[in-house]
Amino acid sequence: MTKKFYVTTPIYYVNDAPHIGHAYTTIAADVLARYHRAEGRDVHFLTGTDEHGIKIVKAAAEKGISPRELADKVVVGFRELWDELNISNDDFIRTSDIRHEARVQELIRRLVKRDEIYLGKYEGWYDEGQEEFVTESVASDNEYKSAINGKDLVRYSEPSWFFRLGKWAPKIIEHIESNPSFVQPVSRRNEVLSKLRQGVDDLSISRQSAKLGGWGIPMPNDPDHSVYVWIDALSNYITALGMPEIGDEFDSKAGKYWPADVHLIGKDILWFHAVYWPCMLMTLDIPLPECVFAHGWWTCEGQKMSKSLGNFISREVIAELCREYSRDAFRYFVLREVSFGADGDFSREAFRRRYNTELANDVGNLLSRTVKMIDRYFDGAVPAPQQTDLTGVEAQFLAEPLKRLQDESAGAIAGCRFSKYVGAVLELASATNRYIDATEPFKLAKDSSQRERLGTILYACAEAVRIVLIYLEPFMPEKVADGLARLGLTGGDPEPLSRRACFGRLEPGTRVVQSEPLFPRKQ
Ligand code: ME8
């Protein structure tokens, strides 16, 4: 049976336009989706928008429009950006979709039935930017301001429905402890565990509907209350799959892809995903996701990105960078520049440098010189090697980086170590460039007695660059298709990526095509 792979991004708030933070997670999810599809798995890739909550209500009021109008407008920007970045999501969920609202209500009904929620009173602080309840001690440590955006916390005092979260805390601690890959990276896992060990209060899961101007999902047991936006939002990961079944057309998908293989998120929203979400699932006897991976945050040219500084890498800036360098280069850069999980800085100079050294020089130049030599010395037809497996000098240069790539790439992808994966690909490209420099095929070409040897060398180069391109395909689908076409490979090979990337599959006689540089150098 084909293995499934289910990957999700956070669903993004529609209070504001998309930026690099959103693009980053979504590109990472896209690379995972494309990699697993290329390996022959049945992939489901979900993204979407988070449209309820006080933050959206206030943003809409400031603009003098209704929350729905705001959501309908902003969602277009997200969808367009995903098109611009060649994102291959299989579904796009909006929390205002009827399919979602109806299922969230059903989930709440089930919590009521199991006596997992009760009516109480919430008295305390709220971070409206993060849509997060903040304890007195954290609030006072941060001088009653948001730890994320520095805005004043708001005092709430109102009746609210509570979820018995405290009771589930020992169970989630046990789950995190006994499943080391459940929360990643490990530093964040430790943070979550130590916070959990300090004790967890029950969670307020409703807001008074009137305070939200009626914008939200009504609690089915008490329509004067709306479902807390995070309970509403987290549920998207199952509601989009038709879970729970409620008798509509989406039921048919129910459970096919659940549990998620990975929820990709940013570090600021880990607590919700590592604690609230799994506790809610445990309560409902629904299996937990395999992994929640929290990536770091970008700064821009050494400074925190903020609206007041106006230095957000916005959709417009992303579009401009894609025009200048290609969208594939942008996708590549964000995952290559920073180890996934760590914070990183976006700088135009770093982008230009990495583009020139890694894409233009290491990969692009290797392809150009290989194609050029095959064109010149063998009339454009890939020569037959003396042997198709790697031996002698070929093995000396290429066998080790190739083996490392084959052995380590799947693990790197499984651990979201994108930069390391790319590093291993570049090692093979560099080794091949060194191999050309050492074997000097351009000199051998002058000696007709060396023709077979020349053929063997150029075959090895063509194979190495083909393998380099294949491994880069999930990151740069268009550039790789273009690059492979220059090696005469246009038809889609149905074999899984790891099999296509075995040395010796390239048919001698395949006709290469000379063309402009794949990654033109940038000044
Ligand atoms: O949090 N660098 O939505 P959101 C990297 N709706 N990532 C960044 C970033 C930066 N500078 N700034 C923000 C929400 N992000 C909720 C999610 S999921 C059930 C609900 C990331 O639009 C941030 O870490 O505010 C988060 O993962 C994502 O952008 C979406 O943020």
Side-chain angles (χ1 to χ4, degrees), residues 13-28:
Y13 285 128
V14 288
N15 62 309
D16 217 341
H19 57 67
I20 190 174
H22 307 119
Y24 185 44
T25 335
T26 311
I27 292 170

Side-chain angles (χ1 to χ4, degrees), residues 335-340 416-424 475:
L335 293 180
R336 170 66 175 147
E337 178 70 358
V338 182
S339 153
F340 205 65
C416 294
R417 291 187 293 275
F418 300 105
S419 188
K420 191 162 178 240
Y421 173 105
V422 170
F475 294 74

Side-chain angles (χ1 to χ4, degrees), residues 225-464:
H225 289 244
S226 296
V227 178
Y228 170 42
V229 63
W230 269 101
I231 297 296
D232 168 350
L234 290 162
S235 308
N236 91 89
Y237 302 129
I238 57 173
T239 64
L241 298 183
M243 287 172 72
E245 294 189 33
I246 56 164
D248 68 5
E249 71 272 28
F250 299 99
D251 278 0
S252 56
K253 284 206 284 181
K256 183 171 172 208
Y257 295 101
W258 190 258
D261 291 82
V262 54
H263 291 316
L264 291 183
I265 57 166
K267 63 179 182 179
D268 58 318
I269 57 174
L270 179 57
W271 183 250
F272 304 94
H273 284 82
V275 178
Y276 298 170
W277 178 227
C279 286
M280 194 176 144
L281 291 169
M282 284 195 278
T283 310
L284 295 165
D285 289 323
I286 298 173
L288 305 193
E290 297 293 334
C291 167
V292 175
F293 199 112
H295 64 67
W297 268 35
W298 288 95
T299 52
C300 175
E301 311 287 351
Q303 278 186 302
K304 189 174 169 186
M305 284 195 281
S306 81
K307 280 210 202 94
S308 46
L309 289 174
N311 66 344
F312 257 105
I313 308 280
S314 62
R315 183 181 154 199
E316 290 70 30
V317 175
I318 294 172
E320 177 213 315
L321 291 164
C322 289
R323 268 195 306 277
E324 188 178 352
Y325 289 91
S326 77
R327 59 185 177 180
D328 276 353
F330 179 78
R331 291 166 56 102
Y332 172 92
F333 176 73
V334 290
L335 293 180
R336 170 66 175 147
E337 178 70 358
V338 182
S339 153
F340 205 65
D343 291 331
D345 184 52
F346 188 95
S347 111
R348 283 176 185 260
E349 178 51 23
F351 190 1
R352 193 187 59 82
R353 216 177 318 121
R354 210 176 263 288
Y355 173 92
N356 279 337
T357 51
E358 297 181 352
L359 295 181
N361 284 2
D362 293 351
V363 178
N365 194 31
L366 172 63
L367 175 67
S368 298
R369 64 202 296 216
T370 301
V371 168
K372 202 162 168 185
M373 287 190 286
I374 293 175
D375 193 54
R376 186 174 303 164
Y377 310 138
F378 290 92
D379 259 347
V382 173
Q386 287 154 305
Q387 70 285 321
T388 46
D389 46 347
L390 280 173
T391 54
V393 187
E394 286 63 57
Q396 196 187 313
F397 279 88
L398 307 178
E400 204 192 298
L402 181 58
K403 181 156 184 344
R404 193 164 338 117
L405 185 53
Q406 288 165 342
D407 289 349
E408 293 175 8
S409 50
I413 287 287
C416 294
R417 291 187 293 275
F418 300 105
S419 188
K420 191 162 178 240
Y421 173 105
V422 170
V425 182
L426 293 176
E427 274 296 309
L428 178 60
S430 303
T432 314
N433 278 317
R434 284 197 299 277
Y435 165 69
I436 296 177
D437 297 341
T439 53
E440 300 184 310
F442 29 87
K443 286 196 184 151
L444 298 183
K446 294 180 187 138
D447 178 352
S448 60
S449 72
Q450 294 291 329
R451 193 141 177 88
E452 282 195 357
R453 178 78 196 114
L454 179 64
T456 299
I457 294 171
L458 293 187
Y459 183 83
C461 293
E463 265 306 62

